[in-house]
Amino acid sequence: MNLELSEDQRAIQRLVREVAREELLPRIQALDREERFDPWVVRRLGELGLLGLCLPRRYQGGGLDYLSLALACEELEYVDSSFREILSVHTALVGLTLLQWAGPEQKERFLPPLATGQKIAAFGLTEPGAGSDVAALESRYRQEGETFVLSGEKVWISLADVADLFLVFARREPGRDPGAISAFLLERGMEGLETYTLRDKLGLRAANTGGIRMREVRVPAANLVGLEGEGFKIAMSALDNGRLTVAAGATGMIRACLDASVAYARERQAFGKPIAHHQLVQEMIARMVDGYETSRLLYAWAASLKNQGRRCTRETSLAKLHACEAAFRAAADAVEIHGAAGFSDAFPVGRHLRNVLGERIYEGTREIHLLIQAGYALGLREDRPLRCALPPWPFPEDEEAGPR
């Protein structure tokens, strides 16, 4: 693992940092207060090429590596989790999953508009009665000739009310058999497909979060992703991709809390001196430094394994667990360092604390990731080869096409 960033990686880091601070930061306070999603943000990320950042150039993507995606997510969440969430869902959960599991014709059809931002994608796994327990999902499908008919509801779906394309999961028969679950691509406008927006959220108030209702939605067989019965494996590999971006984003939140706390501690006076000179404040800041540096190394490690084409379920789980817990501690400490000021939205640290509560839940709760890590340590879990693997970087098809 090379800890030095390449020129391409540094360029992406600089670009996203500049855009995040100059274009997104001035917007976030109003968006959060008004609980308003701004479609301009998605369009802007598309214009910058970030929505297809790590998709092959063959599909009009940027052709960059998986670490570049993680670096972009860190910079976006430095401002707010809601902005990073767009890349986590559209690019990691859907784009990379299609790159891994879709057939050749599906890739040619769906990946270019996703890479360029002409179409926005959402990931439909969670249901009112099925979250961490994926095998409990109840959405059903049946086959009628060359058509699949889907019914059910998905909830807590990011980008639900703005997406054009939905990667959803349903089971063929009742019960808990993971082998009965399949994955489908639904397109907005299909009869029986409805979406809605959830409001009054504690955090991620500038993000679009909602639900998907499927009432006898007829889906052509060409929109089945992978083979019938592979849905559970597809969903789990998608979460491997998404967890990398959540870990990287949480790392950006830690850095944001650290920067805000250092600046405030240098200016705020208490007991005749700046609070930066009080040792318990220094302890909290030191904890943020620890959390940031270790989280950054963990997500970079996971991304490097992806670049090599290696399975990294354990590593992405650990990165997500560690970074989100460190971000929670950093945000809570940052609010305390700010005192009463941290209890208002005059400073960003309160918003980060609200947001990180969601990050400890989605894409595997804290408790699920503890069980995953214990399972590997005890020899109760092992990764078996998948029929389809996420391609290594550089992408083989781009290598054949020659340099950019």
Side-chain angles (χ1 to χ4, degrees), residues 55-56 59 89-115 120-123 165-169 183-186 222-226 234 237-238 241 388-391 397:
L55 292 176
Y59 306 116
V89 175
H90 175 93
T91 306
L93 287 176
V94 180
L96 292 183
T97 302
L98 294 182
L99 181 64
Q100 179 174 354
W101 290 95
E105 293 182 2
Q106 289 176 328
K107 291 178 184 179
E108 296 289 349
R109 178 184 172 193
F110 293 111
L111 285 181
L114 294 183
I120 304 303
F123 183 78
L165 191 68
F166 306 85
L167 178 59
V168 302
F169 300 83
F184 304 88
L185 283 170
L186 276 58
N223 285 30
L224 171 71
V225 179
I234 294 172
S237 60
N241 300 330
C388 299
L390 187 68
E397 55 264 59

Side-chain angles (χ1 to χ4, degrees), residues 41-339:
V41 176
V42 179
R43 293 196 299 271
R44 184 64 176 134
L45 296 181
E47 291 170 357
L48 294 168
L50 298 180
L51 298 181
L53 179 66
C54 57
L55 292 176
R57 287 178 283 124
R58 170 177 176 170
Y59 306 116
Q60 299 182 40
L64 297 179
D65 71 332
Y66 303 116
L67 180 54
S68 294
L69 174 64
L71 292 168
C73 287
E74 178 181 335
E75 298 303 327
L76 289 173
E77 187 151 336
Y78 182 91
V79 175
D80 194 77
S81 307
S82 302
F83 301 140
R84 183 270 309 155
E85 191 178 75
I86 297 168
L87 289 191
S88 290
V89 175
H90 175 93
T91 306
L93 287 176
V94 180
L96 292 183
T97 302
L98 294 182
L99 181 64
Q100 179 174 354
W101 290 95
E105 293 182 2
Q106 289 176 328
K107 291 178 184 179
E108 296 289 349
R109 178 184 172 193
F110 293 111
L111 285 181
L114 294 183
T116 58
Q118 296 175 29
K119 291 188 176 181
I120 304 303
F123 183 78
L125 181 61
T126 302
E127 297 185 356
S132 296
D133 185 6
V134 175
L137 69 81
E138 296 180 352
S139 292
R140 296 284 299 277
Y141 77 90
R142 67 179 187 273
Q143 189 167 7
E144 296 182 355
E146 293 298 308
T147 301
F148 293 98
V149 184
L150 275 67
S151 296
E153 183 173 2
K154 305 293 180 177
V155 71
W156 297 110
I157 306 303
S158 300
L159 302 174
D161 236 8
V162 298
D164 308 289
L165 191 68
F166 306 85
L167 178 59
V168 302
F169 300 83
R171 61 169 54 256
R172 185 154 197 163
E173 57 196 39
R176 294 184 52 84
D177 179 13
I181 299 173
S182 298
F184 304 88
L185 283 170
L186 276 58
E187 301 171 67
R188 187 171 294 279
M190 287 182 169
E191 187 175 353
L193 175 64
E194 301 175 359
T195 63
Y196 58 90
T197 294
L198 293 169
R199 302 198 182 278
D200 300 319
K201 297 175 295 181
L202 175 64
L204 294 162
R205 295 171 67 87
N208 177 261
T209 310
I212 304 168
R213 293 192 182 100
M214 300 173 289
R215 295 189 173 97
E216 297 283 290
V217 180
R218 303 184 70 83
V219 183
N223 285 30
L224 171 71
V225 179
L227 303 177
E228 219 183 327
E230 282 188 324
F232 185 84
K233 294 178 180 178
I234 294 172
M236 293 302 101
S237 60
L239 291 175
D240 281 352
N241 300 330
R243 286 165 181 165
L244 171 65
T245 64
V246 174
T251 305
M253 179 189 289
I254 299 169
R255 181 161 56 87
C257 291
L258 174 61
D259 287 353
S261 297
V262 167
Y264 190 81
R266 286 172 172 167
E267 296 176 2
R268 178 74 164 92
Q269 296 273 334
F271 301 100
K273 57 185 175 181
I275 63 172
H277 292 280
H278 295 297
Q279 289 182 341
L280 293 181
V281 171
Q282 292 178 3
E283 178 189 21
M284 289 187 280
I285 287 177
R287 232 177 358 234
M288 294 181 203
V289 174
D290 179 8
Y292 174 70
E293 296 296 346
T294 52
S295 298
R296 186 171 63 92
L297 290 172
L298 282 173
Y299 87 65
W301 176 32
S304 73
L305 294 177
K306 284 189 177 294
N307 285 346
Q308 298 169 45
R310 295 169 57 184
R311 283 284 298 275
C312 54
T313 299
R314 181 175 74 89
E315 292 80 7
T316 53
S317 166
L318 182 60
K320 195 269 186 186
L321 171 65
H322 181 84
C324 289
E325 291 306 291
F328 174 70
R329 291 192 302 270
D333 283 345
V335 170
E336 289 206 27
I337 289 172
H338 283 70

